[in-house]
Amino acid sequence: MITRIDHIGIACRDLDASIDFYRRTYGFEVFHQEVNEEQGVKEAMLRISGTDDGGSSYLQLLEPIRPDSAIAKYLAKNGEGVHHVAFGTADVRAETAAATDAGVRALYPEPRRGTSGSTINFLHPKDCQGILTELVQSAEATPEH
Amino acid sequence: MITRIDHIGIACRDLDASIDFYRRTYGFEVFHQEVNEEQGVKEAMLRISGTDDGGSSYLQLLEPIRPDSAIAKYLAKNGEGVHHVAFGTADVRAETAAATDAGVRALYPEPRRGTSGSTINFLHPKDCQGILTELVQSAEATPEH
């Protein structure tokens, strides 16, 4: 079951400049920063609100650290903007299986590590009405089964 | 002050097909539907969760009802996908003024009517790192001043 919009993933060319933009314009602050070598990004999570499943909603700002990363390719093709939408769930495996049963392809055969020790998978944008969709299980979330 | 991700606005060619996709894939249900003649769209709000400001986060599915609507132009150029990101606030005028003070252009000189009697403005995507950004004050939200 999907229980929140976990985050909106935003491709940016300069992470520090984007953090500065969101601080100046809306007062958003950095909740967490990390480098994800596997995904080829450095990133900042800006927490926007809590959600009634006990989680939170964030903006995730993503700057590529390698020219072959998915974010670098996105920027070269589209420029800065919304890269993906991430839904939060207590069980990323079950949610991925449900999507697959509905005819939607997952990008990974097994979930991978996401931000802050979360477990994630992605659903193919061509199967999701043009939207690259991430499924996120927080590190602290307990599987339902 | 921004207190939630109010919704993610998604451009779609066929509203009923999109509603069906989100129901089949994730189990999301329609919370509200309406036609907004001024914006040139018919739309469905899918409620994803409550937020800790007393509001909710939604997906907003948007199908154009006129070829000159912003959504029709977006679809012609980009195909289906994320059209805009909307932040919730208790005071859309104050939040628009704060963004303007930070050098971000608003699309309307005065707020207009959004979904479910809300009051909205948009911020220019060229000033928002490529993202068309909506500010939303719910119908029931009381201005802070």
PDB file of all heavy atoms in Angstrom, chain A residues 2-4 10 18 21 24 26 28 49-52 80 102 123 127-130 133, chain B residues 2-3 18 21 24 26 28 49-52 80 102 123 127-131 133:
ATOM      1  N   ILE A   2       0.516   2.213  -0.846  1.00  0.00           N
ATOM      2  CA  ILE A   2       1.210   3.512  -0.873  1.00  0.00           C
ATOM      3  C   ILE A   2       0.574   4.395   0.198  1.00  0.00           C
ATOM      4  O   ILE A   2      -0.655   4.548   0.226  1.00  0.00           O
ATOM      5  CB  ILE A   2       1.050   4.197  -2.239  1.00  0.00           C
ATOM      6  CG1 ILE A   2       1.597   3.326  -3.374  1.00  0.00           C
ATOM      7  CG2 ILE A   2       1.683   5.589  -2.222  1.00  0.00           C
ATOM      8  CD1 ILE A   2       3.073   3.234  -3.442  1.00  0.00           C
ATOM      9  N   THR A   3       1.392   4.992   1.063  1.00  0.00           N
ATOM     10  CA  THR A   3       0.841   5.773   2.176  1.00  0.00           C
ATOM     11  C   THR A   3       1.261   7.247   2.188  1.00  0.00           C
ATOM     12  O   THR A   3       0.809   7.996   3.049  1.00  0.00           O
ATOM     13  CB  THR A   3       1.236   5.139   3.518  1.00  0.00           C
ATOM     14  OG1 THR A   3       2.675   5.037   3.569  1.00  0.00           O
ATOM     15  CG2 THR A   3       0.623   3.753   3.668  1.00  0.00           C
ATOM     16  N   ARG A   4       2.113   7.657   1.256  1.00  0.00           N
ATOM     17  CA  ARG A   4       2.487   9.078   1.193  1.00  0.00           C
ATOM     18  C   ARG A   4       3.207   9.380  -0.122  1.00  0.00           C
ATOM     19  O   ARG A   4       3.718   8.463  -0.785  1.00  0.00           O
ATOM     20  CB  ARG A   4       3.417   9.470   2.357  1.00  0.00           C
ATOM     21  CG  ARG A   4       4.807   8.857   2.271  1.00  0.00           C
ATOM     22  CD  ARG A   4       5.712   9.219   3.442  1.00  0.00           C
ATOM     23  NE  ARG A   4       6.987   8.499   3.364  1.00  0.00           N
ATOM     24  CZ  ARG A   4       7.167   7.239   3.731  1.00  0.00           C
ATOM     25  NH1 ARG A   4       6.163   6.543   4.228  1.00  0.00           N
ATOM     26  NH2 ARG A   4       8.344   6.649   3.591  1.00  0.00           N
ATOM     27  N   ILE A  10      14.342  16.090  -7.954  1.00  0.00           N
ATOM     28  CA  ILE A  10      14.576  17.239  -8.826  1.00  0.00           C
ATOM     29  C   ILE A  10      16.023  17.222  -9.310  1.00  0.00           C
ATOM     30  O   ILE A  10      16.955  17.226  -8.491  1.00  0.00           O
ATOM     31  CB  ILE A  10      14.273  18.548  -8.063  1.00  0.00           C
ATOM     32  CG1 ILE A  10      12.787  18.579  -7.680  1.00  0.00           C
ATOM     33  CG2 ILE A  10      14.690  19.773  -8.875  1.00  0.00           C
ATOM     34  CD1 ILE A  10      12.396  19.715  -6.761  1.00  0.00           C
ATOM     35  N   SER A  18      20.957  25.210  -5.863  1.00  0.00           N
ATOM     36  CA  SER A  18      19.552  24.815  -5.705  1.00  0.00           C
ATOM     37  C   SER A  18      19.118  24.904  -4.246  1.00  0.00           C
ATOM     38  O   SER A  18      18.017  25.372  -3.942  1.00  0.00           O
ATOM     39  CB  SER A  18      19.328  23.398  -6.234  1.00  0.00           C
ATOM     40  OG  SER A  18      19.326  23.409  -7.646  1.00  0.00           O
ATOM     41  N   PHE A  21      18.490  28.443  -3.615  1.00  0.00           N
ATOM     42  CA  PHE A  21      17.229  28.896  -4.212  1.00  0.00           C
ATOM     43  C   PHE A  21      16.036  28.526  -3.328  1.00  0.00           C
ATOM     44  O   PHE A  21      15.173  29.366  -3.049  1.00  0.00           O
ATOM     45  CB  PHE A  21      17.040  28.294  -5.614  1.00  0.00           C
ATOM     46  CG  PHE A  21      15.630  28.440  -6.115  1.00  0.00           C
ATOM     47  CD1 PHE A  21      15.180  29.649  -6.636  1.00  0.00           C
ATOM     48  CD2 PHE A  21      14.731  27.373  -6.034  1.00  0.00           C
ATOM     49  CE1 PHE A  21      13.860  29.795  -7.059  1.00  0.00           C
ATOM     50  CE2 PHE A  21      13.418  27.515  -6.461  1.00  0.00           C
ATOM     51  CZ  PHE A  21      12.989  28.722  -6.972  1.00  0.00           C
ATOM     52  N   ARG A  24      16.051  30.650  -0.037  1.00  0.00           N
ATOM     53  CA  ARG A  24      15.701  32.057  -0.231  1.00  0.00           C
ATOM     54  C   ARG A  24      14.232  32.231  -0.593  1.00  0.00           C
ATOM     55  O   ARG A  24      13.563  33.165  -0.144  1.00  0.00           O
ATOM     56  CB  ARG A  24      16.548  32.655  -1.373  1.00  0.00           C
ATOM     57  CG  ARG A  24      17.937  33.082  -0.992  1.00  0.00           C
ATOM     58  CD  ARG A  24      18.592  33.825  -2.149  1.00  0.00           C
ATOM     59  NE  ARG A  24      18.789  32.979  -3.322  1.00  0.00           N
ATOM     60  CZ  ARG A  24      18.116  33.052  -4.473  1.00  0.00           C
ATOM     61  NH1 ARG A  24      17.161  33.946  -4.629  1.00  0.00           N
ATOM     62  NH2 ARG A  24      18.396  32.241  -5.484  1.00  0.00           N
ATOM     63  N   TYR A  26      11.522  29.920  -0.364  1.00  0.00           N
ATOM     64  CA  TYR A  26      10.468  29.315   0.461  1.00  0.00           C
ATOM     65  C   TYR A  26      10.866  29.105   1.922  1.00  0.00           C
ATOM     66  O   TYR A  26      10.028  28.701   2.726  1.00  0.00           O
ATOM     67  CB  TYR A  26      10.072  27.947  -0.105  1.00  0.00           C
ATOM     68  CG  TYR A  26       9.725  27.947  -1.571  1.00  0.00           C
ATOM     69  CD1 TYR A  26      10.541  27.298  -2.501  1.00  0.00           C
ATOM     70  CD2 TYR A  26       8.567  28.588  -2.021  1.00  0.00           C
ATOM     71  CE1 TYR A  26      10.219  27.286  -3.854  1.00  0.00           C
ATOM     72  CE2 TYR A  26       8.248  28.587  -3.372  1.00  0.00           C
ATOM     73  CZ  TYR A  26       9.079  27.931  -4.281  1.00  0.00           C
ATOM     74  OH  TYR A  26       8.761  27.916  -5.606  1.00  0.00           O
ATOM     75  N   PHE A  28      12.881  26.703   2.879  1.00  0.00           N
ATOM     76  CA  PHE A  28      13.150  25.274   3.111  1.00  0.00           C
ATOM     77  C   PHE A  28      14.603  25.080   3.569  1.00  0.00           C
ATOM     78  O   PHE A  28      15.517  25.737   3.073  1.00  0.00           O
ATOM     79  CB  PHE A  28      12.935  24.450   1.839  1.00  0.00           C
ATOM     80  CG  PHE A  28      11.538  24.480   1.294  1.00  0.00           C
ATOM     81  CD1 PHE A  28      11.301  24.143  -0.038  1.00  0.00           C
ATOM     82  CD2 PHE A  28      10.460  24.832   2.091  1.00  0.00           C
ATOM     83  CE1 PHE A  28      10.002  24.152  -0.555  1.00  0.00           C
ATOM     84  CE2 PHE A  28       9.163  24.845   1.576  1.00  0.00           C
ATOM     85  CZ  PHE A  28       8.942  24.506   0.247  1.00  0.00           C
ATOM     86  N   SER A  49       6.944  18.475   5.073  1.00  0.00           N
ATOM     87  CA  SER A  49       5.929  18.249   6.118  1.00  0.00           C
ATOM     88  C   SER A  49       6.006  16.817   6.610  1.00  0.00           C
ATOM     89  O   SER A  49       6.627  15.956   5.980  1.00  0.00           O
ATOM     90  CB  SER A  49       4.513  18.520   5.580  1.00  0.00           C
ATOM     91  OG  SER A  49       4.036  17.409   4.846  1.00  0.00           O
ATOM     92  N   GLY A  50       5.340  16.570   7.741  1.00  0.00           N
ATOM     93  CA  GLY A  50       5.080  15.207   8.159  1.00  0.00           C
ATOM     94  C   GLY A  50       3.831  14.690   7.462  1.00  0.00           C
ATOM     95  O   GLY A  50       3.014  15.478   6.951  1.00  0.00           O
ATOM     96  N   THR A  51       3.692  13.374   7.411  1.00  0.00           N
ATOM     97  CA  THR A  51       2.529  12.751   6.768  1.00  0.00           C
ATOM     98  C   THR A  51       1.867  11.803   7.765  1.00  0.00           C
ATOM     99  O   THR A  51       2.500  11.379   8.737  1.00  0.00           O
ATOM    100  CB  THR A  51       2.958  11.986   5.497  1.00  0.00           C
ATOM    101  OG1 THR A  51       4.063  11.126   5.822  1.00  0.00           O
ATOM    102  CG2 THR A  51       3.381  12.952   4.405  1.00  0.00           C
ATOM    103  N   ASP A  52       0.591  11.483   7.532  1.00  0.00           N
ATOM    104  CA  ASP A  52      -0.171  10.776   8.568  1.00  0.00           C
ATOM    105  C   ASP A  52       0.131   9.276   8.642  1.00  0.00           C
ATOM    106  O   ASP A  52      -0.523   8.558   9.407  1.00  0.00           O
ATOM    107  CB  ASP A  52      -1.669  11.055   8.430  1.00  0.00           C
ATOM    108  CG  ASP A  52      -2.254  10.556   7.123  1.00  0.00           C
ATOM    109  OD1 ASP A  52      -1.522   9.902   6.353  1.00  0.00           O
ATOM    110  OD2 ASP A  52      -3.440  10.839   6.873  1.00  0.00           O
ATOM    111  N   GLU A  80      17.145  21.328 -16.097  1.00  0.00           N
ATOM    112  CA  GLU A  80      16.711  21.132 -14.716  1.00  0.00           C
ATOM    113  C   GLU A  80      15.192  20.959 -14.646  1.00  0.00           C
ATOM    114  O   GLU A  80      14.458  21.554 -15.430  1.00  0.00           O
ATOM    115  CB  GLU A  80      17.157  22.325 -13.861  1.00  0.00           C
ATOM    116  CG  GLU A  80      18.676  22.428 -13.747  1.00  0.00           C
ATOM    117  CD  GLU A  80      19.127  23.552 -12.836  1.00  0.00           C
ATOM    118  OE1 GLU A  80      18.542  24.646 -12.924  1.00  0.00           O
ATOM    119  OE2 GLU A  80      20.061  23.329 -12.062  1.00  0.00           O
ATOM    120  N   ALA A 102       0.187  -5.427 -12.277  1.00  0.00           N
ATOM    121  CA  ALA A 102      -0.672  -4.527 -13.050  1.00  0.00           C
ATOM    122  C   ALA A 102      -0.071  -4.198 -14.420  1.00  0.00           C
ATOM    123  O   ALA A 102      -0.609  -3.363 -15.149  1.00  0.00           O
ATOM    124  CB  ALA A 102      -0.913  -3.239 -12.253  1.00  0.00           C
ATOM    125  N   LEU A 123       9.880   2.309 -11.155  1.00  0.00           N
ATOM    126  CA  LEU A 123       8.952   1.778 -12.162  1.00  0.00           C
ATOM    127  C   LEU A 123       9.168   2.544 -13.458  1.00  0.00           C
ATOM    128  O   LEU A 123       9.414   3.757 -13.454  1.00  0.00           O
ATOM    129  CB  LEU A 123       7.511   1.933 -11.670  1.00  0.00           C
ATOM    130  CG  LEU A 123       7.220   1.273 -10.317  1.00  0.00           C
ATOM    131  CD1 LEU A 123       5.768   1.534  -9.911  1.00  0.00           C
ATOM    132  CD2 LEU A 123       7.510  -0.222 -10.348  1.00  0.00           C
ATOM    133  N   ASP A 127       5.659   2.901 -18.656  1.00  0.00           N
ATOM    134  CA  ASP A 127       4.504   2.167 -18.139  1.00  0.00           C
ATOM    135  C   ASP A 127       3.705   2.993 -17.139  1.00  0.00           C
ATOM    136  O   ASP A 127       2.678   2.532 -16.644  1.00  0.00           O
ATOM    137  CB  ASP A 127       4.960   0.869 -17.449  1.00  0.00           C
ATOM    138  CG  ASP A 127       5.621  -0.091 -18.421  1.00  0.00           C
ATOM    139  OD1 ASP A 127       5.466   0.091 -19.648  1.00  0.00           O
ATOM    140  OD2 ASP A 127       6.312  -1.013 -17.958  1.00  0.00           O
ATOM    141  N   CYS A 128       4.225   4.194 -16.817  1.00  0.00           N
ATOM    142  CA  CYS A 128       3.616   5.038 -15.768  1.00  0.00           C
ATOM    143  C   CYS A 128       3.222   6.396 -16.321  1.00  0.00           C
ATOM    144  O   CYS A 128       3.470   7.429 -15.688  1.00  0.00           O
ATOM    145  CB  CYS A 128       4.581   5.191 -14.592  1.00  0.00           C
ATOM    146  SG  CYS A 128       4.924   3.660 -13.723  1.00  0.00           S
ATOM    147  N   GLN A 129       2.665   6.398 -17.509  1.00  0.00           N
ATOM    148  CA  GLN A 129       2.134   7.622 -18.101  1.00  0.00           C
ATOM    149  C   GLN A 129       3.188   8.729 -18.123  1.00  0.00           C
ATOM    150  O   GLN A 129       2.899   9.897 -17.861  1.00  0.00           O
ATOM    151  CB  GLN A 129       0.895   8.057 -17.337  1.00  0.00           C
ATOM    152  CG  GLN A 129      -0.076   6.885 -17.121  1.00  0.00           C
ATOM    153  CD  GLN A 129      -1.488   7.266 -17.345  1.00  0.00           C
ATOM    154  OE1 GLN A 129      -1.940   8.279 -16.862  1.00  0.00           O
ATOM    155  NE2 GLN A 129      -2.214   6.464 -18.120  1.00  0.00           N
ATOM    156  N   GLY A 130       4.429   8.337 -18.455  1.00  0.00           N
ATOM    157  CA  GLY A 130       5.491   9.312 -18.665  1.00  0.00           C
ATOM    158  C   GLY A 130       6.265   9.693 -17.420  1.00  0.00           C
ATOM    159  O   GLY A 130       7.196  10.505 -17.498  1.00  0.00           O
ATOM    160  N   THR A 133       8.808   6.605 -11.676  1.00  0.00           N
ATOM    161  CA  THR A 133       8.178   6.498 -10.364  1.00  0.00           C
ATOM    162  C   THR A 133       9.033   5.631  -9.458  1.00  0.00           C
ATOM    163  O   THR A 133       9.422   4.528  -9.829  1.00  0.00           O
ATOM    164  CB  THR A 133       6.765   5.889 -10.505  1.00  0.00           C
ATOM    165  OG1 THR A 133       6.012   6.703 -11.416  1.00  0.00           O
ATOM    166  CG2 THR A 133       6.047   5.834  -9.169  1.00  0.00           C
TER     167      THR A 133
ATOM    168  N   ILE B   2       5.339  27.755   3.600  1.00  0.00           N
ATOM    169  CA  ILE B   2       4.885  26.540   2.915  1.00  0.00           C
ATOM    170  C   ILE B   2       4.790  25.426   3.944  1.00  0.00           C
ATOM    171  O   ILE B   2       5.749  25.170   4.674  1.00  0.00           O
ATOM    172  CB  ILE B   2       5.896  26.121   1.822  1.00  0.00           C
ATOM    173  CG1 ILE B   2       6.107  27.224   0.788  1.00  0.00           C
ATOM    174  CG2 ILE B   2       5.481  24.805   1.183  1.00  0.00           C
ATOM    175  CD1 ILE B   2       4.977  27.456  -0.134  1.00  0.00           C
ATOM    176  N   THR B   3       3.667  24.729   3.983  1.00  0.00           N
ATOM    177  CA  THR B   3       3.479  23.718   5.028  1.00  0.00           C
ATOM    178  C   THR B   3       3.243  22.298   4.491  1.00  0.00           C
ATOM    179  O   THR B   3       3.113  21.370   5.287  1.00  0.00           O
ATOM    180  CB  THR B   3       2.302  24.110   5.940  1.00  0.00           C
ATOM    181  OG1 THR B   3       1.136  24.302   5.130  1.00  0.00           O
ATOM    182  CG2 THR B   3       2.593  25.407   6.701  1.00  0.00           C
ATOM    183  N   SER B  18      -6.215   7.582 -17.166  1.00  0.00           N
ATOM    184  CA  SER B  18      -5.230   7.839 -16.101  1.00  0.00           C
ATOM    185  C   SER B  18      -5.768   7.441 -14.738  1.00  0.00           C
ATOM    186  O   SER B  18      -5.051   6.844 -13.930  1.00  0.00           O
ATOM    187  CB  SER B  18      -4.823   9.314 -16.099  1.00  0.00           C
ATOM    188  OG  SER B  18      -3.949   9.566 -17.174  1.00  0.00           O
ATOM    189  N   PHE B  21      -5.424   3.816 -14.549  1.00  0.00           N
ATOM    190  CA  PHE B  21      -4.033   3.403 -14.322  1.00  0.00           C
ATOM    191  C   PHE B  21      -3.664   3.502 -12.847  1.00  0.00           C
ATOM    192  O   PHE B  21      -3.097   2.571 -12.271  1.00  0.00           O
ATOM    193  CB  PHE B  21      -3.072   4.250 -15.162  1.00  0.00           C
ATOM    194  CG  PHE B  21      -1.645   4.114 -14.721  1.00  0.00           C
ATOM    195  CD1 PHE B  21      -0.894   2.993 -15.070  1.00  0.00           C
ATOM    196  CD2 PHE B  21      -1.050   5.077 -13.905  1.00  0.00           C
ATOM    197  CE1 PHE B  21       0.421   2.852 -14.628  1.00  0.00           C
ATOM    198  CE2 PHE B  21       0.252   4.936 -13.456  1.00  0.00           C
ATOM    199  CZ  PHE B  21       0.990   3.822 -13.818  1.00  0.00           C
ATOM    200  N   ARG B  24      -5.535   0.811 -10.749  1.00  0.00           N
ATOM    201  CA  ARG B  24      -5.047  -0.554 -10.963  1.00  0.00           C
ATOM    202  C   ARG B  24      -3.663  -0.774 -10.369  1.00  0.00           C
ATOM    203  O   ARG B  24      -3.351  -1.825  -9.808  1.00  0.00           O
ATOM    204  CB  ARG B  24      -4.972  -0.855 -12.464  1.00  0.00           C
ATOM    205  CG  ARG B  24      -6.267  -1.252 -13.113  1.00  0.00           C
ATOM    206  CD  ARG B  24      -6.025  -1.701 -14.550  1.00  0.00           C
ATOM    207  NE  ARG B  24      -5.521  -0.639 -15.407  1.00  0.00           N
ATOM    208  CZ  ARG B  24      -4.288  -0.539 -15.867  1.00  0.00           C
ATOM    209  NH1 ARG B  24      -3.385  -1.464 -15.561  1.00  0.00           N
ATOM    210  NH2 ARG B  24      -3.924   0.468 -16.647  1.00  0.00           N
ATOM    211  N   TYR B  26      -1.813   1.267  -8.078  1.00  0.00           N
ATOM    212  CA  TYR B  26      -1.523   1.629  -6.680  1.00  0.00           C
ATOM    213  C   TYR B  26      -2.751   1.581  -5.770  1.00  0.00           C
ATOM    214  O   TYR B  26      -2.616   1.760  -4.558  1.00  0.00           O
ATOM    215  CB  TYR B  26      -0.954   3.052  -6.615  1.00  0.00           C
ATOM    216  CG  TYR B  26       0.212   3.313  -7.523  1.00  0.00           C
ATOM    217  CD1 TYR B  26       0.092   4.175  -8.623  1.00  0.00           C
ATOM    218  CD2 TYR B  26       1.451   2.708  -7.296  1.00  0.00           C
ATOM    219  CE1 TYR B  26       1.164   4.431  -9.463  1.00  0.00           C
ATOM    220  CE2 TYR B  26       2.528   2.958  -8.131  1.00  0.00           C
ATOM    221  CZ  TYR B  26       2.376   3.826  -9.214  1.00  0.00           C
ATOM    222  OH  TYR B  26       3.440   4.077 -10.039  1.00  0.00           O
ATOM    223  N   PHE B  28      -5.081   3.891  -5.794  1.00  0.00           N
ATOM    224  CA  PHE B  28      -5.534   5.256  -5.510  1.00  0.00           C
ATOM    225  C   PHE B  28      -6.966   5.460  -6.008  1.00  0.00           C
ATOM    226  O   PHE B  28      -7.338   4.983  -7.075  1.00  0.00           O
ATOM    227  CB  PHE B  28      -4.643   6.302  -6.208  1.00  0.00           C
ATOM    228  CG  PHE B  28      -3.210   6.288  -5.778  1.00  0.00           C
ATOM    229  CD1 PHE B  28      -2.227   6.855  -6.593  1.00  0.00           C
ATOM    230  CD2 PHE B  28      -2.815   5.730  -4.567  1.00  0.00           C
ATOM    231  CE1 PHE B  28      -0.898   6.861  -6.199  1.00  0.00           C
ATOM    232  CE2 PHE B  28      -1.485   5.733  -4.170  1.00  0.00           C
ATOM    233  CZ  PHE B  28      -0.525   6.296  -4.997  1.00  0.00           C
ATOM    234  N   SER B  49      -2.276  11.118   1.098  1.00  0.00           N
ATOM    235  CA  SER B  49      -2.131  11.073   2.557  1.00  0.00           C
ATOM    236  C   SER B  49      -2.589  12.385   3.166  1.00  0.00           C
ATOM    237  O   SER B  49      -2.753  13.392   2.467  1.00  0.00           O
ATOM    238  CB  SER B  49      -0.669  10.824   2.975  1.00  0.00           C
ATOM    239  OG  SER B  49       0.084  12.020   2.917  1.00  0.00           O
ATOM    240  N   GLY B  50      -2.769  12.378   4.496  1.00  0.00           N
ATOM    241  CA  GLY B  50      -2.904  13.612   5.240  1.00  0.00           C
ATOM    242  C   GLY B  50      -1.523  14.164   5.555  1.00  0.00           C
ATOM    243  O   GLY B  50      -0.519  13.427   5.519  1.00  0.00           O
ATOM    244  N   THR B  51      -1.467  15.465   5.855  1.00  0.00           N
ATOM    245  CA  THR B  51      -0.198  16.119   6.191  1.00  0.00           C
ATOM    246  C   THR B  51      -0.350  16.806   7.546  1.00  0.00           C
ATOM    247  O   THR B  51      -1.468  17.082   7.985  1.00  0.00           O
ATOM    248  CB  THR B  51       0.190  17.135   5.101  1.00  0.00           C
ATOM    249  OG1 THR B  51      -0.936  17.986   4.835  1.00  0.00           O
ATOM    250  CG2 THR B  51       0.580  16.431   3.817  1.00  0.00           C
ATOM    251  N   ASP B  52       0.777  17.084   8.204  1.00  0.00           N
ATOM    252  CA  ASP B  52       0.705  17.528   9.607  1.00  0.00           C
ATOM    253  C   ASP B  52       0.324  19.000   9.772  1.00  0.00           C
ATOM    254  O   ASP B  52       0.314  19.505  10.897  1.00  0.00           O
ATOM    255  CB  ASP B  52       1.990  17.185  10.358  1.00  0.00           C
ATOM    256  CG  ASP B  52       3.206  17.883   9.795  1.00  0.00           C
ATOM    257  OD1 ASP B  52       3.059  18.721   8.888  1.00  0.00           O
ATOM    258  OD2 ASP B  52       4.320  17.585  10.275  1.00  0.00           O
ATOM    259  N   GLU B  80       2.778  13.092 -21.959  1.00  0.00           N
ATOM    260  CA  GLU B  80       2.267  12.991 -20.589  1.00  0.00           C
ATOM    261  C   GLU B  80       3.410  13.043 -19.567  1.00  0.00           C
ATOM    262  O   GLU B  80       4.507  12.577 -19.853  1.00  0.00           O
ATOM    263  CB  GLU B  80       1.472  11.690 -20.428  1.00  0.00           C
ATOM    264  CG  GLU B  80       0.198  11.680 -21.281  1.00  0.00           C
ATOM    265  CD  GLU B  80      -0.639  10.441 -21.080  1.00  0.00           C
ATOM    266  OE1 GLU B  80      -0.047   9.344 -21.012  1.00  0.00           O
ATOM    267  OE2 GLU B  80      -1.870  10.560 -21.002  1.00  0.00           O
ATOM    268  N   ALA B 102      12.042  37.433  -3.522  1.00  0.00           N
ATOM    269  CA  ALA B 102      13.252  36.641  -3.760  1.00  0.00           C
ATOM    270  C   ALA B 102      13.638  36.622  -5.245  1.00  0.00           C
ATOM    271  O   ALA B 102      14.560  35.907  -5.631  1.00  0.00           O
ATOM    272  CB  ALA B 102      13.044  35.220  -3.243  1.00  0.00           C
ATOM    273  N   LEU B 123       4.235  30.273 -10.057  1.00  0.00           N
ATOM    274  CA  LEU B 123       5.542  30.923 -10.164  1.00  0.00           C
ATOM    275  C   LEU B 123       6.223  30.443 -11.443  1.00  0.00           C
ATOM    276  O   LEU B 123       6.093  29.276 -11.825  1.00  0.00           O
ATOM    277  CB  LEU B 123       6.397  30.592  -8.944  1.00  0.00           C
ATOM    278  CG  LEU B 123       5.758  30.950  -7.591  1.00  0.00           C
ATOM    279  CD1 LEU B 123       6.685  30.524  -6.450  1.00  0.00           C
ATOM    280  CD2 LEU B 123       5.423  32.441  -7.507  1.00  0.00           C
ATOM    281  N   ASP B 127      12.188  30.874 -13.366  1.00  0.00           N
ATOM    282  CA  ASP B 127      12.733  31.415 -12.118  1.00  0.00           C
ATOM    283  C   ASP B 127      12.796  30.363 -11.021  1.00  0.00           C
ATOM    284  O   ASP B 127      13.275  30.642  -9.926  1.00  0.00           O
ATOM    285  CB  ASP B 127      11.865  32.588 -11.616  1.00  0.00           C
ATOM    286  CG  ASP B 127      11.874  33.755 -12.579  1.00  0.00           C
ATOM    287  OD1 ASP B 127      12.766  33.816 -13.447  1.00  0.00           O
ATOM    288  OD2 ASP B 127      10.972  34.606 -12.470  1.00  0.00           O
ATOM    289  N   CYS B 128      12.275  29.143 -11.315  1.00  0.00           N
ATOM    290  CA  CYS B 128      12.170  28.081 -10.301  1.00  0.00           C
ATOM    291  C   CYS B 128      12.902  26.822 -10.741  1.00  0.00           C
ATOM    292  O   CYS B 128      12.388  25.718 -10.615  1.00  0.00           O
ATOM    293  CB  CYS B 128      10.701  27.776 -10.009  1.00  0.00           C
ATOM    294  SG  CYS B 128       9.802  29.140  -9.255  1.00  0.00           S
ATOM    295  N   GLN B 129      14.084  27.021 -11.319  1.00  0.00           N
ATOM    296  CA  GLN B 129      14.938  25.892 -11.695  1.00  0.00           C
ATOM    297  C   GLN B 129      14.197  24.885 -12.562  1.00  0.00           C
ATOM    298  O   GLN B 129      14.353  23.672 -12.406  1.00  0.00           O
ATOM    299  CB  GLN B 129      15.479  25.232 -10.439  1.00  0.00           C
ATOM    300  CG  GLN B 129      16.038  26.292  -9.453  1.00  0.00           C
ATOM    301  CD  GLN B 129      17.324  25.876  -8.840  1.00  0.00           C
ATOM    302  OE1 GLN B 129      17.426  24.758  -8.365  1.00  0.00           O
ATOM    303  NE2 GLN B 129      18.310  26.748  -8.867  1.00  0.00           N
ATOM    304  N   GLY B 130      13.391  25.417 -13.497  1.00  0.00           N
ATOM    305  CA  GLY B 130      12.745  24.572 -14.489  1.00  0.00           C
ATOM    306  C   GLY B 130      11.396  24.009 -14.081  1.00  0.00           C
ATOM    307  O   GLY B 130      10.770  23.286 -14.863  1.00  0.00           O
ATOM    308  N   ILE B 131      10.933  24.336 -12.872  1.00  0.00           N
ATOM    309  CA  ILE B 131       9.692  23.724 -12.374  1.00  0.00           C
ATOM    310  C   ILE B 131       8.574  24.761 -12.272  1.00  0.00           C
ATOM    311  O   ILE B 131       8.687  25.734 -11.523  1.00  0.00           O
ATOM    312  CB  ILE B 131       9.922  23.076 -10.998  1.00  0.00           C
ATOM    313  CG1 ILE B 131      10.984  21.981 -11.127  1.00  0.00           C
ATOM    314  CG2 ILE B 131       8.619  22.514 -10.436  1.00  0.00           C
ATOM    315  CD1 ILE B 131      11.384  21.348  -9.819  1.00  0.00           C
ATOM    316  N   THR B 133       5.682  26.104 -10.628  1.00  0.00           N
ATOM    317  CA  THR B 133       5.379  25.921  -9.215  1.00  0.00           C
ATOM    318  C   THR B 133       4.086  26.645  -8.878  1.00  0.00           C
ATOM    319  O   THR B 133       3.925  27.820  -9.199  1.00  0.00           O
ATOM    320  CB  THR B 133       6.533  26.449  -8.354  1.00  0.00           C
ATOM    321  OG1 THR B 133       7.747  25.795  -8.753  1.00  0.00           O
ATOM    322  CG2 THR B 133       6.278  26.201  -6.873  1.00  0.00           C
TER     323      THR B 133
END
